[in-house]
Amino acid sequence: MSFRSQLLKGILEGCILSIINKEMVYGYELSQKLQHFGLHDVSEGSIYPILLRLQKDGLIKGEMRASSTGPKRKYYELTNLGEKALLEIQEEWKNLQKPVDRLLNRSVDDER
Amino acid sequence: MSFRSQLLKGILEGCILSIINKEMVYGYELSQKLQHFGLHDVSEGSIYPILLRLQKDGLIKGEMRASSTGPKRKYYELTNLGEKALLEIQEEWKNLQKPVDRLLNRSVDDER
DNA sequence: TAAAGCTATCTTGTTTTGCAAGATAGCTTT
DNA sequence: AAAGCTATCTTGCAAAACAAGATAGCTTTA
């Protein structure tokens, strides 16, 4: 039995939108960037389905491009809708982070 | 269509353990405390199943007590196992919060 | 005393999220 | 031609959370 809770749930989508917002990226690259940012253990079985869903919902759009060193890559960029969604997620994250932090990191003599 | 992502997923369990760790509480009270801490929109359809699961997993234990003003209440407290689990979740939260924050709140000229 | 309202717990069914595992295929190196 | 890397996508599953509602005790009000 493991106590490992699934803390990532729900925010991965926002992190992906945020990375795509900076620059066009393709899925494989995305998984490396997430890793670089400290989000380890995010498998491609998570990333690709999210990308497809975001595309289906119109938040990102993809475009195949040839690579000089391997197979074709599908580069994604945010749509206007996606930018709006990202702003909302950033706002929600701020509102969530504070209370959770108070709850999980407070010392014994904090507010009850 | 709504962009509302489910940011809470995964950390609610930790927040509940954290509150119970402070003092014995019952489910109904818990939902009010979560609200007070800024975690709105957490329904009892979320809270009670989590309490039952935590109890089944041996992280908390419950005890019925009469109330002077209403129906009986089931007060919960952490077990040793539960205290250990809470420490792990607090650690995970710290490790998760930083990268997500960098991703979601960074300004345009931050690290790429 | 009967009805309404509040407190309190729990269940059922559904949706969303994420992951493990693996299928597919192009390109490069050996 | 075989092996290995890059790259995308699919299938099937489990966990998490919620909406909605069932149940029931207690208190207040009419």
Side-chain angles (χ1 to χ4, degrees), chain A residues 69-86:
Chain A
T69 64
K72 281 186 184 175
R73 300 161 173 173
K74 192 163 177 187
Y75 282 84
Y76 289 99
E77 64 183 325
L78 289 204
T79 61
N80 288 342
L81 221 53
E83 288 172 19
K84 226 185 290 181
L86 178 56

Side-chain angles (χ1 to χ4, degrees), chain A residues 15-103:
Chain A
C15 292
I16 287 177
L17 283 176
S18 183
I19 289 177
I20 296 176
N21 190 42
K22 282 293 266 194
E23 53 186 330
M24 291 184 79
V25 289
Y26 55 99
Y28 196 81
E29 188 186 12
L30 198 54
S31 94
Q32 294 167 332
K33 281 192 185 284
L34 285 172
Q35 184 114 4
H36 169 259
F37 267 100
L39 264 37
H40 315 286
D41 311 317
V42 181
S43 82
E44 286 152 17
S46 304
I47 291 174
Y48 286 109
I50 288 177
L51 288 174
L52 294 177
R53 192 177 67 241
L54 290 174
Q55 191 178 26
K56 203 188 94 205
D57 292 346
L59 304 192
I60 61 178
K61 60 185 168 198
E63 169 192 330
M64 294 302 289
R65 285 192 202 163
S67 158
S68 59
T69 64
K72 281 186 184 175
R73 300 161 173 173
K74 192 163 177 187
Y75 282 84
Y76 289 99
E77 64 183 325
L78 289 204
T79 61
N80 288 342
L81 221 53
E83 288 172 19
K84 226 185 290 181
L86 178 56
L87 285 175
E88 284 181 35
I89 290 173
Q90 285 168 334
E91 190 59 26
E92 280 180 50
W93 169 250
K94 274 186 221 154
N95 292 338
L96 174 73
Q97 193 187 7
K98 277 184 203 167
V100 172
D101 215 44
R102 268 209 310 281
L103 276 170

Side-chain angles (χ1 to χ4, degrees), chain B residues 43-73:
Chain B
S43 82
E44 285 151 19
S46 304
I47 290 174
Y48 286 108
I50 287 178
L51 287 174
L52 294 176
R53 192 177 68 240
L54 290 173
Q55 191 178 26
K56 203 188 92 203
D57 292 347
L59 304 192
I60 61 178
K61 60 185 168 201
E63 171 193 328
M64 295 300 292
R65 283 191 203 165
S67 159
S68 59
T69 63
K72 281 185 183 175
R73 301 160 172 173

Side-chain angles (χ1 to χ4, degrees), chain B residues 11-54:
Chain B
I11 51 185
L12 189 49
E13 191 177 304
C15 291
I16 286 176
L17 283 175
S18 183
I19 288 177
I20 296 178
N21 190 42
K22 281 294 266 193
E23 54 184 330
M24 292 184 77
V25 288
Y26 56 99
Y28 196 81
E29 189 185 12
L30 198 54
S31 94
Q32 294 167 333
K33 281 191 185 288
L34 285 173
Q35 184 113 4
H36 170 259
F37 267 99
L39 263 38
H40 315 287
D41 312 316
V42 181
S43 82
E44 285 151 19
S46 304
I47 290 174
Y48 286 108
I50 287 178
L51 287 174
L52 294 176
R53 192 177 68 240
L54 290 173

Side-chain angles (χ1 to χ4, degrees), chain B residues 72-88:
Chain B
K72 281 185 183 175
R73 301 160 172 173
K74 194 164 176 186
Y75 282 85
Y76 289 99
E77 65 184 326
L78 288 204
T79 62
N80 288 343
L81 221 55
E83 288 172 19
K84 227 183 291 179
L86 178 55
L87 286 175
E88 284 181 35

